[in-house]
Amino acid sequence: MWRSIFLHEFIDHRIGNFQALPGTPTPASLALTPSGEPETGVNCVAVAPGTGFDYALTQPLPQVIGFSCRVRLMYPITPQSTLFSVVRLGGGAELLFWPDSHPLPDLTGTMANVRVWVANGFTNLGRVALPTRTFTDFRLDWHTSGQLRLLANGRLVAYHNAVAPGASFPVDRVVFGMPQAQPAPAPQYRIARVFVRALERSDALALFSRLLPAIEAPYDDVNRCRLRVIANLLAIVDRLRAFMASVHQALSQPWTQQNGPPAGPFTPEATEAHRLATVAVAELTRMLRTGDFSGPDRFLDPFSEFLRILHTALPAQFEALAAELATMPAVPEECREVLEPTYEKNKHALGPIVDLLSAAADRLRHIAGGN
Amino acid sequence: MADLQALQVFAATHGFGLTNPLTHAQVVTLARYWLPKIRFYEDERFHPIRLDEVVAEVERLFAELPPVAQDQWRVTKFVRTGPASGENRAFAPPVVHVPDGMVPQGNFALAAVRVLNDGTPARDALSVPEVGTSTMITHGASFTRSNHFFGAVATKAGSNTASPGDPFLPRSDEPNPSPPPARRPRMTVMASWLNLLELLEYELVVAEAGDAYPPDGLRRAFNIAGLLLRPKLPNAPPLTPKEQREYLLSAIAAHKAGNPLPDPPPGWRLDRTAWNAVTRFAFLEYDFFYAYNDFERYQTAIFDNEHEGDNEGCCLVFDRSVTNLAAAGGDEALRRAVPHAVITSVHEEYQNADLIRFIPPPITDPSNPAPPARDVVDFTVYVAGGSHATYLTPGIHDLVDFGDYWGWVEENAPYLLVGAPIILVVAIILSMIEHFVDTEDFTSEDGVHGGPDDLIEGDPTAVKTYVQVMPMSADNHIYQPAHEDLLRLRAYAGKWGANDGIVDKSPAFVPKTARYFRKLVENL
């Protein structure tokens, strides 16, 4: 689960009643007043150029490698065509809509072009409908492996497979609406929910750690070994992400609901790889949580099949990467004498986990060997 | 030590009473009146029960089994057989046990326990002197076992698969006053009225007593002194707990006497927002106690959460100036008192996921009497399937966690796993985990509905819902001898369940008052 950054559901009439990482809204943000939208009764805020909510984090997130922004939005029909911002994460990401100046023929809404800023460039994500009498849940997900998804009411409407691959950026604030724009009467729209999640470079390690048994860490860590080992591990994950970016580009294609291509964005192999990864992590999670490692194949089999799909997609790159990473130093020699006694002391708790992961390493070597 | 008599004497000596001017009878009126409409997820298998059912239902169902069928439900515990020896033994559930040190087993040692109810009723074991915060009561710590003793067995239509509109019915039941059927399902929630000022005062007195005050599941959880007294500057002189207590007790005394508040200790200030909240508000808390939390049955989540004994709930915040006035006007006046806010508990407090909704004061017509408050305030809560997190709206809820992530790395030392042969596998697993974006709770309108009889009457999925009001009033309170059986359960300070994994989520039944208070103050 990615870390939560900001959640405003407008559950009463106080703009200050929201959940977020520690931070401060600008005084102008507090001028917004949630109220019931007349037709739907949904509690929301109306924003226009010059108004919005700007929340500065006390501790900026330094290395964000993924985000998931959800905004519940209603856009009334208006005869203007102006690019407007919906949500922004510091200078690193922004979702913008550029609606047509004319409504849909049935007057149910307006079509809009979608533009997304990630890291250092814009991507056009096609067109979406902005219903005028109902709220739509938009969701924009990006991961540094290059995948960008836009969903409307849970349905995928646009996908890109190479948006800012390898990028990371700091997030120091969450902004929705248009507080920085020059005040103007239009465009005006309503927001009924904003939820932002983010993935920092080290978050997966933290989530994995959460599943491990608590142990007494070594005190005499004069070489700052834990930080060095963690840095090595994260460097390897960085390399894997770059490889996964290539895999995504091999197993998927840019796609929009409106223009296709009709085959959809994902190959069957991509879908299967996703399924296998989900099963493998679920089984591993269960084993770590319960301490029951009696059925290792429940994890090892889907893990191996997942790797096999990656290998089949990019065999030469897979084998080269495996060979390269196998030689990367994990634990500096001077750290072994610091860490190994602690490992030995906790071997009864950590041993089954190491055995399982060693079996997975055997299968990885087998696949990397072309078998 | 579960010294009930000491708790009773202490309460009598210090004039226990947390609801003044409301009498217990008035609290009962309010608690029944404001019982929330409770919406459960259709697939929910565990519904709110009384604390005594945690013990009694397991004992009853186990005793009803033929001896040959009992063995699979016995709970195996590692017990000491000598100074350096131990063995696994099976006990009839539920088992009440306390730690009994480490027993060497080859190259490592195993934690032994001492079972306090081997052949005797578990409820009696809760009175054993050794019972304290490290005691645990368990019926085996698995979904299978909890489902056997407490899980729903059929839907409303008699099916073994729930669906929207045909939910699982609570396992607890009772004779139906208007059969058929002969029996009807039931749920029970607990309620407490707590004046925050009197609660703080009593907690300070308990803290002053130190270890002389025995373990008490109701006490020592309202630790809000840190919110009330804040340093003026980062280098403020340290303030001892004793100095904190003495100042706050003197401030409470001055407030009650209508005198100016004493000056805070040098370098410290009284937080006016928190102090005003303490003096202004009372909480009407509803506790929903579930036999088992089976959140993981609902989804694949990297979020460990499966354990026995799950305490969730919600709270209404009342302005005492409103209820004090109403208290003098009879039950009708009480029913016109509109709450200030509602707060619900959502997973762990450190995740900062709890919800608060402020209730706008109703616009009153001076020429007409105010309507009953329940007519103008909707108080409906939605309980998430499995996790029992309590929400204010139906549907899918993104599970939020604003907590500290890096702490897990510090505490669980993943770097110890990263030997060269497996570092690549760990890295691959991490890159897979990066794609687990969501964890969600599921709430629904289509499951079992609980609530006050008059509000759920005619509802096809309504289930009779009782409120067990914790007596907290000067005229009738839990520390009086008449309530000793209830006190034995509620003062039990140990854990109300075990867990089936390595992550200890087993909870004591800690009052949520401090948690609700923090949520309130940060939003005032």
Side-chain angles (χ1 to χ4, degrees):
Chain A
M1 182 173 79
W2 292 7
R3 67 172 65 220
S4 309
I5 305 293
F6 181 91
L7 172 63
H8 208 319
E9 297 193 290
F10 307 100
I11 62 174
D12 57 23
H13 299 286
R14 297 187 178 210
I15 190 66
N17 184 3
F18 61 92
Q19 297 154 283
L21 291 178
T24 314
T26 58
S29 303
L30 301 176
L32 291 175
T33 303
S35 60
E37 194 278 326
E39 279 194 44
T40 61
V42 173
N43 216 39
C44 61
V45 288
V47 296
T51 63
F53 199 89
D54 186 343
Y55 185 76
L57 301 178
T58 304
Q59 295 274 341
L61 304 175
Q63 285 187 299
V64 169
I65 59 167
F67 63 77
S68 177
C69 295
R70 303 122 198 251
V71 178
R72 187 171 296 157
L73 181 144
M74 179 194 278
Y75 181 78
I77 291 172
T78 176
Q80 288 191 338
S81 174
T82 309
L83 182 71
F84 66 82
S85 176
V86 176
V87 63
R88 180 165 66 81
L89 305 183
E94 188 169 17
L95 170 65
L96 305 104
F97 287 153
W98 196 337
D100 296 343
S101 59
H102 53 278
L104 289 164
D106 59 4
L107 301 180
T108 58
T110 309
M111 293 302 293
N113 293 307
V114 183
R115 297 190 81 187
V116 176
W117 171 272
V118 179
N120 48 22
F122 278 112
T123 301
N124 292 316
L125 272 187
R127 288 163 65 75
V128 296
L130 302 178
T132 197
R133 292 197 180 89
T134 59
F135 281 90
T136 303
D137 277 305
F138 288 103
R139 172 174 178 166
L140 181 71
D141 288 359
W142 171 81
H143 183 264
T144 188
S145 59
Q147 291 187 304
L148 183 75
R149 292 179 175 84
L150 179 68
L151 297 94
N153 291 332
R155 188 183 176 96
L156 186 69
V157 294
Y159 169 83
H160 206 292
N161 62 2
V163 175
S168 70
F169 52 83
V171 170
D172 62 349
R173 61 207 313 116
V174 175
V175 182
F176 64 83
M178 299 166 280
Q180 268 88 40
Q182 286 296 314
Q188 191 178 78
Y189 60 96
R190 295 177 188 275
I191 291 181
R193 184 175 190 263
V194 178
F195 181 40
V196 178
R197 276 194 170 132
L199 179 71
E200 273 212 284
R201 183 168 170 260
S202 59
D203 281 352
L205 177 62
L207 290 168
F208 177 66
S209 303
R210 188 173 182 164
L211 297 166
L212 299 177
I215 64 161
E216 202 173 302
Y219 289 113
D220 51 348
D221 190 2
V222 290
N223 295 316
R224 302 174 67 79
C225 288
R226 71 180 74 177
L227 295 178
R228 294 166 70 184
V229 173
I230 287 169
N232 288 342
L233 177 60
L234 294 180
I236 292 177
V237 180
D238 289 342
R239 280 288 288 121
L240 285 174
R241 287 195 208 99
F243 170 72
M244 287 307 296
S246 302
V247 171
H248 292 317
Q249 288 171 33
L251 298 183
S252 67
Q253 58 187 331
W255 175 89
T256 65
Q257 187 181 35
Q258 201 173 40
N259 298 319
F266 305 111
T267 64
E269 291 79 9
T271 306
E272 180 63 2
H274 178 77
R275 188 191 70 79
L276 289 165
T278 303
V279 172
V281 171
E283 286 297 338
L284 179 66
T285 299
R286 193 192 58 75
M287 289 178 194
L288 291 172
R289 186 176 62 76
T290 62
D292 178 4
F293 295 91
S294 59
D297 287 346
R298 290 201 302 270
F299 161 69
L300 293 171
D301 287 351
F303 180 74
S304 307
E305 289 309 305
F306 168 76
L307 294 179
R308 208 173 287 285
I309 290 175
L310 305 190
H311 180 262
T312 302
L314 299 170
Q317 287 184 44
F318 187 104
E319 289 164 20
L321 181 67
E324 173 198 332
L325 296 183
T327 61
M328 278 183 77
V331 182
E333 202 53 45
E334 62 271 29
C335 287
R336 288 197 179 278
E337 62 191 49
V338 175
L339 300 180
E340 281 187 355
T342 308
Y343 174 76
E344 288 299 324
K345 193 175 161 190
N346 293 279
K347 200 170 182 178
H348 63 285
L350 298 176
I353 303 171
V354 170
D355 289 347
L356 179 73
L357 299 181
S358 297
D362 288 343
R363 297 206 183 186
L364 170 60
R365 278 191 290 275
H366 190 69
I367 293 167
N371 299 303
Chain B
M1 169 170 161
D3 189 344
L4 303 186
Q5 195 180 7
L7 301 182
Q8 292 165 338
V9 169
F10 191 94
T13 305
H14 293 88
F16 183 85
L18 307 182
T19 72
N20 187 53
L22 297 178
T23 62
H24 179 64
Q26 288 177 310
V27 169
V28 170
T29 297
L30 280 169
R32 288 180 178 161
Y33 182 65
W34 281 106
L35 171 65
K37 290 189 278 183
I38 315 170
R39 307 299 205 222
F40 291 90
Y41 193 65
E42 50 264 28
D43 192 36
E44 179 60 61
R45 285 181 179 260
F46 302 99
H47 300 86
I49 55 176
R50 299 190 311 265
L51 291 179
D52 63 290
E53 291 179 283
V54 176
V55 176
E57 283 305 289
V58 177
E59 288 180 337
R60 183 180 68 81
L61 288 167
F62 184 78
E64 285 175 4
L65 292 170
V68 68
Q70 288 182 333
D71 284 350
Q72 78 174 104
W73 303 110
R74 292 185 192 277
V75 178
T76 301
K77 290 290 163 190
F78 183 71
V79 296
R80 186 180 290 279
T81 54
S85 60
E87 66 176 16
N88 282 318
R89 283 183 52 200
F91 297 88
V95 174
V96 181
H97 62 77
V98 291
D100 199 15
M102 303 297 288
V103 175
Q105 294 281 294
N107 292 331
F108 55 94
L110 279 181
V113 300
R114 194 155 69 80
V115 173
L116 302 179
N117 64 322
D118 190 5
T120 59
R123 192 158 169 163
D124 292 351
L126 298 182
S127 303
V128 170
E130 292 93 324
V131 166
T133 53
S134 58
T135 307
M136 179 178 283
I137 181 166
T138 176
H139 50 272
S142 74
F143 171 77
T144 305
R145 287 169 175 270
S146 287
N147 197 40
H148 177 74
F149 293 114
F150 297 101
V153 293
T155 67
K156 185 172 176 55
S159 168
N160 59 9
T161 305
S163 59
D166 183 26
F168 279 123
L169 295 176
R171 178 74 162 272
S172 291
D173 66 0
E174 62 184 13
N176 190 349
S178 52
R183 299 185 70 80
R184 66 177 181 183
R186 68 159 188 231
M187 300 183 286
T188 307
V189 306
M190 290 167 270
S192 305
W193 181 281
L194 302 162
N195 290 341
L196 297 182
L197 187 72
E198 282 83 347
L199 174 61
L200 175 64
E201 184 178 31
Y202 197 74
E203 291 291 343
L204 291 168
V205 172
V206 166
E208 198 73 44
D211 292 340
Y213 191 87
D216 179 355
L218 281 164
R219 302 272 74 89
R220 299 186 194 276
F222 196 56
N223 300 318
I224 60 163
L227 287 179
L228 290 165
L229 276 171
R230 295 179 183 274
K232 284 181 179 170
L233 296 167
N235 60 351
L239 198 60
T240 66
K242 182 176 169 54
E243 289 169 323
Q244 272 187 345
R245 286 196 298 271
E246 286 174 352
Y247 173 74
L248 291 172
L249 282 169
S250 65
I252 292 169
H255 175 84
K256 284 184 166 179
N259 295 329
L261 295 182
D263 288 334
W268 293 76
R269 67 179 175 83
L270 188 64
D271 185 298
R272 285 289 165 180
T273 303
W275 176 254
N276 288 344
V278 164
T279 54
R280 179 181 168 194
F281 294 116
F283 287 173
L284 176 53
E285 296 180 2
Y286 290 93
D287 289 302
F288 309 156
F289 194 90
Y290 306 89
Y292 199 72
N293 177 321
D294 60 331
F295 178 68
E296 294 196 341
R297 193 164 59 86
Y298 287 79
Q299 63 187 307
T300 299
I302 306 172
F303 177 77
D304 37 72
N305 200 358
E306 184 145 343
H307 58 86
E308 297 174 322
D310 191 21
N311 168 34
E312 303 286 349
C314 57
C315 156
L316 285 172
V317 181
F318 279 91
D319 192 319
R320 290 181 64 178
S321 64
V322 174
T323 50
N324 289 358
L325 202 61
D331 285 357
E332 286 307 309
L334 277 177
R335 292 191 183 99
R336 291 194 189 100
V338 174
H340 187 75
V342 54
I343 307 173
T344 69
S345 70
V346 181
H347 295 280
E348 307 288 343
E349 188 186 5
Y350 66 79
Q351 294 175 306
N352 193 19
D354 291 356
L355 297 168
I356 182 167
R357 174 190 281 161
F358 289 92
I359 298 165
I363 300 166
T364 53
D365 176 357
S367 60
N368 287 310
R374 204 75 202 251
D375 288 3
V376 294
V377 176
D378 175 39
F379 183 29
T380 308
V381 295
Y382 298 82
V383 176
S387 79
H388 308 131
T390 309
Y391 291 94
L392 293 166
T393 50
I396 296 173
H397 299 270
D398 293 303
L399 200 154
V400 300
D401 185 350
F402 296 97
D404 168 32
Y405 273 41
W406 191 251
W408 299 104
V409 179
E410 291 291 330
E411 286 175 24
N412 295 353
Y415 43 88
L416 291 178
L417 288 178
V418 188
I422 61 171
I423 188 169
L424 184 52
V425 169
V426 174
I428 292 170
I429 290 168
L430 296 186
S431 67
M432 293 159 83
I433 287 174
E434 283 188 356
H435 293 272
F436 280 71
V437 180
D438 299 327
T439 304
E440 292 165 336
D441 270 323
F442 304 93
T443 63
S444 166
E445 289 273 15
D446 300 321
V448 159
H449 293 181
D453 291 344
D454 58 326
L455 295 186
I456 61 173
E457 193 177 11
D459 186 328
T461 58
V463 166
K464 175 68 181 174
T465 311
Y466 292 95
V467 187
Q468 183 183 30
V469 181
M470 293 291 145
M472 297 287 178
S473 306
D475 68 305
N476 184 347
H477 64 76
I478 192 168
Y479 295 107
Q480 292 169 331
H483 295 299
E484 189 163 305
D485 272 352
L486 180 60
L487 182 64
R488 181 176 292 110
L489 290 166
R490 192 59 194 90
Y492 167 60
K495 296 181 175 182
W496 279 94
N499 63 88
D500 72 342
I502 58 170
V503 180
D504 186 2
K505 291 277 185 183
S506 311
F509 186 175
V510 177
K512 296 189 189 303
T513 316
R515 172 177 177 166
Y516 293 142
F517 181 77
R518 285 186 282 269
K519 186 70 185 176
L520 173 67
V521 168
E522 75 183 39
N523 282 279
L524 287 175

